[in-house]
Amino acid sequence: MKELNELKGVGPKTLNLLNKLGIDDNIDLVTYYPFRYEVLKRSDIYQLNQDDKIIIDGVVENIPSLFRFKNKKDVMNFHFNTGEILVKVTIYNRGFLKSKLNPGTNLTIIGKYDKLHNTIIANDLRFELLGEEIKIEPIYHSTYGLSSKQIGAYINQLLDEELVVKSYVPDYLIDKYKFISKEESIKIIHRPTEQNKLKQAINHLKYEELFMFMLKMNNLKENKNNKIGLKRNISFDKVTEFIKELSFKLTKDQEISVKEIYDDLISSKRMNRLLQGDVGSGKTVVSMIAMYLNYLSGYQSALMVPTEILANQHFINALELFKSYDLKIELLKGKMKVTEKKQIYEGLENGEIDIIIGTHALIQEEVKYYNLGLVITDEQHRFGVNQRSNLKNKGITPDVLYMSATPIPRTYALTLYGDMDISNIKTMPEGRKEVITYLKHNDEIKDVLNLMYQELKNNHQVYVIAPLIEESDKIDLENVYELENKMKKAFGKLYSIGVLHGKMTNQEKGSIMNDFRNNKIQILISTTVIEVGVDVENATVMVIFDSYRFGLSALHQLRGRVGRSHLQSYCVLISNQDAERLKVLTKTNDGFKVSEEDFRLRGSGDLFGVRQSGEMAFKMADIKQDFKMLLKAKEDSLEFIKSHNYHEPHYKFIKDRIETTNNLD
Ligand code: ADP
Ligand code: MG
């Protein structure tokens, strides 16, 4: 196969543009697939109506007349004989083609038919006749300076020779599914002739992607499972005793999750588990129990969270929960005095500290552990799953528990997270009332203030999310302060108002959050995020301005900040647009349903933020549309990896590919 720079028409400039499209070598180029096709079929001009699209061939009748406008634009007119009718053709800004358009030239014209004036407004000319054939033209994603046509032409140069590409689908599976060979499939995809063949070709390439993806997953899972984890000897009575001391009764799903984690911990298999549960479902206490068990078996635990506010909150929770147990718990913050930090590092290294809570610094920095046995990450979707850890640990492979509130539809999750076990908390703690959600127009702000006032009068607290303009921090800030002024006008005499925004230091944020937690502040205004996971039971109203700017799942997360106790809570979505979509939230409080809907509306891209984007970037396959195929690929890949085939020299290239790209951990 020719290299890119050996292709006709590809110089340094084009090479650069190709790189920009992610095409670095000839294989990238032949696997740069069209994203759609244009079907060229000769129109029956007599059947067309005014302004219909037309595709028709014929010959040029006369020398075109060309008129140049002042602004470098031009227009050309000529007569065109289709064999059945003589029409006028008008085309803009192709003056440079004039010399090629001699009388008698064969052309296929694509454009719009102005029947009234018997004129075709052309937008494309092809210098060949179409005849009775139906042509399917591939259309590629292009970039400025490099058109779809050019890309097609380069690809054609490669297709004209013999392709050297190998399918990563084992040949017995290619036989089983009667796939067309990979070389043939690639040719067909770029030069399709009939629908049926095209579909078969696409199937091979989709399946290949899904098969390789699942193979990677299964391989990861095998590797992790084979890693010898810690085998602990703890009686389940310890769990029962601990649970009895809690101020509430665990929900059924919490109990099941605890049991699943317990089983992982006492087995020698390394735990690699995702604990999924909607916001407010009570994941934290489950993770605390896991840390308690880990402590009982003599190991240290690290709880990692994405923000310091959340770290602080977990720290407070942990101190409260373990106050009658003899555990040493510490909080590691970014901005600590050097001496304080040093003390914590020492405590971790000599094993004095049993539980350490903090942000990612816990494993990223050169923190040394005496015997770290369990690593928990909360709000997992904000980290990459495979964040490389450079744990300095005493030769132990710690168990890992991930927690996430990003609800991924279960069937998808089970399939995609082939490398993890999953525990699911589906139900909310007893006594919770569903949050009532309203959708309001900007000019209905009075209703919103009334609702706030009512709740404030009942001594409850309110979150307000300020309008957000992503492009500019400065405007965001102005919005926050403007909103603060408005709120002050409405409530300033009676209630205290606090502001949180991205430009504040962690310390400032922390102190505002504390004041809110202790009800010194009743109204908390914030730019987006408020930090995921904050838990203030007394807050009963969540007001979100410009709701249309958020995805449904993100709004659901924000809504989850209220409704965390027996109190009736409310969420108000303020928006002047996108009512149809936002309405979903007024109808359900079920995160899984919301996420299904988000999934339906926006595709998989957003949902799987958990996965590093590269891993999920399929060229052909679509997780949702091709889900059945994914399930097959899952089964087949599992069978393959467990069979002798996987170790045969014949399939070494597949194994190599998996193992070189699975450089995690
Ligand atoms: P999330 O799953 O969103 O992290 P949390 O763990 O923060 O949720 O729990 C939300 C709130 O519910 C906390 O205040 C927690 O103490 C409380 N909670 C957890 N489990 C139960 C339960 N079984 N019964 C009553 N309240 C519970
Ligand atoms: Mg949480």
Side-chain angles (χ1 to χ4, degrees):
M1 277 168 81
K2 277 189 181 144
E3 296 299 325
L4 290 186
N5 56 13
E6 293 166 352
L7 295 173
K8 222 174 77 192
V10 176
K13 215 169 124 193
T14 308
L15 214 50
N16 239 326
L17 292 170
L18 287 169
N19 293 161
K20 223 171 111 184
L21 293 173
I23 301 169
D24 295 326
D25 58 30
N26 48 16
I27 296 292
D28 288 345
L29 184 59
V30 284
T31 56
Y32 193 75
Y33 305 127
F35 71 97
R36 68 178 182 87
Y37 297 93
E38 184 130 78
V39 180
L40 299 183
K41 184 179 178 229
R42 195 176 202 271
S43 312
D44 179 352
I45 197 161
Y46 295 115
Q47 297 290 324
L48 296 182
N49 294 314
Q50 178 67 20
D51 290 341
D52 275 355
K53 181 174 178 176
I54 186 169
I55 299 169
I56 203 155
D57 55 2
V59 291
V60 179
E61 276 283 314
N62 63 331
I63 294 177
S65 65
L66 174 65
F67 180 80
R68 292 190 198 278
F69 301 101
K70 275 196 188 115
N71 49 7
K72 285 193 178 161
K73 308 224 152 134
D74 61 61
V75 60
M76 225 177 356
N77 288 296
F78 58 92
H79 292 284
F80 188 63
N81 192 340
T82 71
E84 51 241 301
I85 188 173
L86 198 64
V87 293
K88 201 176 128 188
V89 175
T90 298
I91 187 162
Y92 290 92
N93 306 322
R94 303 289 165 85
F96 57 89
L97 288 177
K98 185 174 181 232
S99 61
K100 286 176 112 185
L101 292 168
N102 299 313
T105 306
N106 288 335
L107 275 190
T108 296
I109 295 178
I110 301 165
K112 198 168 77 175
Y113 186 42
D114 179 356
K115 191 170 184 147
L116 216 58
H117 302 96
N118 193 32
T119 299
I120 298 172
I121 314 294
N123 44 42
D124 211 353
L125 304 179
R126 315 280 160 94
F127 288 85
E128 60 196 358
L129 289 177
L130 191 60
E132 292 306 305
E133 260 182 84
I134 296 174
K135 268 199 189 157
I136 307 174
E137 285 200 345
I139 310 291
Y140 302 93
H141 281 297
S142 50
T143 181
Y144 189 75
L146 186 61
S147 69
S148 165
K149 261 192 197 166
Q150 280 170 289
I151 296 170
Y154 303 141
I155 291 174
N156 273 331
Q157 291 183 50
L158 289 177
L159 298 183
D160 286 340
E161 295 173 58
E162 200 181 331
L163 286 183
V164 189
V165 286
K166 219 168 189 178
S167 178
Y168 288 103
V169 182
D171 33 26
Y172 69 88
L173 287 172
I174 294 184
D175 289 347
K176 177 177 166 190
Y177 293 114
K178 303 200 168 57
F179 287 138
I180 304 175
S181 75
K182 181 151 180 199
E183 294 85 348
E184 198 56 27
S185 297
I186 287 181
K187 280 194 178 152
I188 291 173
I189 274 182
H190 294 294
R191 298 170 170 177
T193 48
E194 45 173 314
Q195 283 290 334
N196 216 4
K197 272 260 154 71
L198 178 60
K199 207 172 156 215
Q200 289 180 43
I202 289 176
N203 275 346
H204 186 166
L205 301 175
K206 276 184 175 173
Y207 179 85
E208 183 184 23
E209 286 180 349
L210 296 170
F211 179 79
M212 286 305 276
F213 178 77
M214 289 318 308
L215 205 54
K216 270 193 215 178
M217 284 295 155
N218 287 321
N219 172 266
L220 271 179
K221 188 169 185 163
E222 290 282 296
N223 277 352
K224 286 196 170 140
N225 287 355
N226 288 343
K227 251 186 202 151
I228 300 298
L230 298 167
K231 191 172 155 69
R232 299 171 175 78
N233 192 357
I234 322 157
S235 143
F236 196 73
D237 294 344
K238 292 287 181 192
V239 182
T240 316
E241 279 164 31
F242 187 84
I243 290 173
K244 238 194 279 164
E245 296 300 313
L246 291 173
S247 60
F248 46 72
K249 193 173 158 339
L250 289 187
T251 63
K252 190 116 207 122
D253 288 337
Q254 280 174 321
E255 273 178 15
I256 294 170
S257 302
V258 167
K259 177 71 168 67
E260 287 169 340
I261 291 168
Y262 169 82
D263 286 341
D264 282 352
L265 292 178
I266 60 167
S267 98
S268 61
K269 177 189 126 186
R270 184 188 190 190
M271 175 161 77
N272 181 39
R273 183 171 290 279
L274 174 67
L275 175 61
Q276 263 202 143
D278 212 344
V279 266
S281 62
K283 295 182 292 295
T284 312
V285 68
V286 174
S287 70
M288 298 277 174
I289 294 170
M291 293 197 285
Y292 175 63
L293 295 177
N294 184 52
Y295 155 78
L296 287 183
S297 45
Y299 296 103
Q300 295 171 299
S301 304
L303 172 56
M304 285 194 304
V305 296
T307 67
E308 291 213 342
I309 291 187
L310 204 48
N312 198 40
Q313 177 179 298
H314 279 317
F315 181 59
I316 296 170
N317 270 338
L319 288 179
E320 172 64 26
L321 195 64
F322 294 119
K323 65 175 183 263
S324 46
Y325 297 84
D326 184 29
L327 264 89
K328 188 159 170 62
I329 306 166
E330 286 291 349
L331 177 66
L332 184 69
K333 292 196 278 193
K335 289 227 168 65
M336 278 179 132
K337 275 190 210 133
V338 180
T339 47
E340 281 178 303
K341 250 190 192 166
K342 232 178 147 182
Q343 226 168 7
I344 290 185
Y345 289 156
E346 274 172 26
L348 289 173
E349 193 169 355
N350 65 26
E352 221 172 82
I353 297 175
D354 300 303
I355 293 179
I356 181 75
I357 299 174
T359 62
H360 219 163
L362 285 188
I363 58 166
Q364 264 177 351
E365 282 170 22
E366 302 279 286
V367 185
K368 291 192 192 113
Y369 289 90
Y370 176 67
N371 64 357
L372 183 63
L374 174 65
V375 178
I376 300 179
T377 62
D378 192 11
E379 304 301 346
Q380 169 56 22
H381 59 282
R382 307 194 78 204
F383 300 120
V385 168
N386 298 318
Q387 210 111 21
R388 244 193 143 84
S389 62
N390 35 7
L391 281 172
K392 294 276 176 297
N393 201 8
K394 246 188 140 185
I396 300 171
T397 325
D399 289 303
V400 184
L401 179 68
Y402 306 98
M403 297 196 277
S404 176
T406 309
I408 292 165
R410 186 174 170 79
T411 35
Y412 299 108
L414 276 175
T415 306
L416 293 167
Y417 294 91
D419 62 327
M420 280 189 221
D421 298 305
I422 301 180
S423 295
N424 241 318
I425 307 183
K426 295 182 293 270
T427 50
M428 290 287 159
E430 236 172 90
R432 295 277 174 83
K433 293 195 179 69
E434 295 227 320
V435 178
I436 298 173
T437 303
Y438 301 108
L439 185 55
K440 292 280 176 191
H441 246 256
N442 289 7
D443 53 22
E444 293 173 299
I445 187 77
K446 257 213 168 119
D447 297 352
V448 182
L449 295 175
N450 274 335
L451 175 69
M452 287 172 65
Y453 185 50
Q454 227 177 49
E455 285 300 297
L456 289 164
K457 261 196 319 199
N458 290 330
N459 295 321
H460 300 150
Q461 291 159 276
V462 180
Y463 293 104
V464 182
I465 306 296
L468 151 96
I469 296 165
E470 281 162 359
E471 297 90 63
S472 159
D473 286 346
K474 190 163 161 261
I475 303 177
D476 281 349
L477 217 55
E478 280 168 12
N479 279 333
V480 176
Y481 288 124
E482 198 189 319
L483 194 61
E484 186 189 14
N485 279 334
K486 277 191 193 146
M487 290 293 155
K488 271 196 173 137
K489 259 188 211 144
F491 301 112
K493 289 210 175 88
L494 298 167
Y495 303 103
S496 161
I497 298 168
V499 169
L500 264 188
H501 59 74
K503 289 270 173 290
M504 294 164 88
T505 64
N506 277 327
Q507 200 159 17
E508 288 169 325
K509 283 190 205 163
S511 105
I512 296 277
M513 241 5 261
N514 261 339
D515 287 351
F516 190 63
R517 199 173 286 121
N518 301 325
N519 204 357
K520 277 188 203 150
I521 289 173
Q522 286 78 43
I523 302 174
L524 182 65
I525 302 173
S526 165
T527 46
T528 28
V529 171
I530 18 188
E531 314 286 340
V532 273
V534 290
D535 188 24
V536 180
E537 286 187 10
N538 190 47
T540 57
V541 185
M542 166 65 69
V543 178
I544 306 169
F545 281 85
D546 285 0
S547 315
Y548 69 92
R549 289 181 176 275
F550 298 92
L552 294 181
S553 293
L555 288 170
H556 178 69
Q557 295 279 326
L558 286 171
R559 171 168 70 179
R561 300 301 118 226
V562 297
R564 305 196 134 232
S565 67
H566 65 283
L567 300 171
Q568 178 62 56
S569 292
Y570 306 88
C571 173
V572 190
L573 307 173
I574 303 179
S575 176
N576 274 359
Q577 26 180 314
D578 228 2
E580 249 347 275
R581 183 174 68 93
L582 296 173
K583 241 186 229 153
V584 172
L585 291 168
T586 64
K587 291 185 190 139
T588 183
N589 265 284
D590 180 338
F592 284 86
K593 284 205 183 116
V594 171
S595 116
E596 286 276 11
E597 195 60 19
D598 227 6
F599 196 67
R600 197 176 68 74
L601 293 169
R602 312 206 296 177
S604 54
D606 208 58
L607 259 183
F608 298 107
V610 185
R611 284 277 163 210
Q612 286 166 340
S613 51
E615 279 178 69
M616 290 298 296
F618 296 124
K619 285 184 181 173
M620 277 281 168
D622 177 300
I623 297 289
K624 201 182 161 204
Q625 274 175 17
D626 304 316
F627 192 64
K628 281 208 181 107
M629 192 188 266
L630 178 69
L631 291 179
K632 274 204 191 117
K634 180 182 184 181
E635 223 175 86
D636 294 339
S637 65
L638 201 62
E639 212 177 87
F640 176 68
I641 208 169
K642 295 218 149 125
S643 74
H644 62 92
N645 276 324
Y646 190 59
H647 307 286
E648 297 287 339
H650 181 60
Y651 291 122
K652 187 164 179 300
F653 71 104
I654 301 179
K655 194 178 179 198
D656 286 351
R657 169 104 181 161
I658 296 298
E659 287 171 3
T660 50
T661 51
N662 269 355
N663 56 348
L664 324 155
D665 202 52

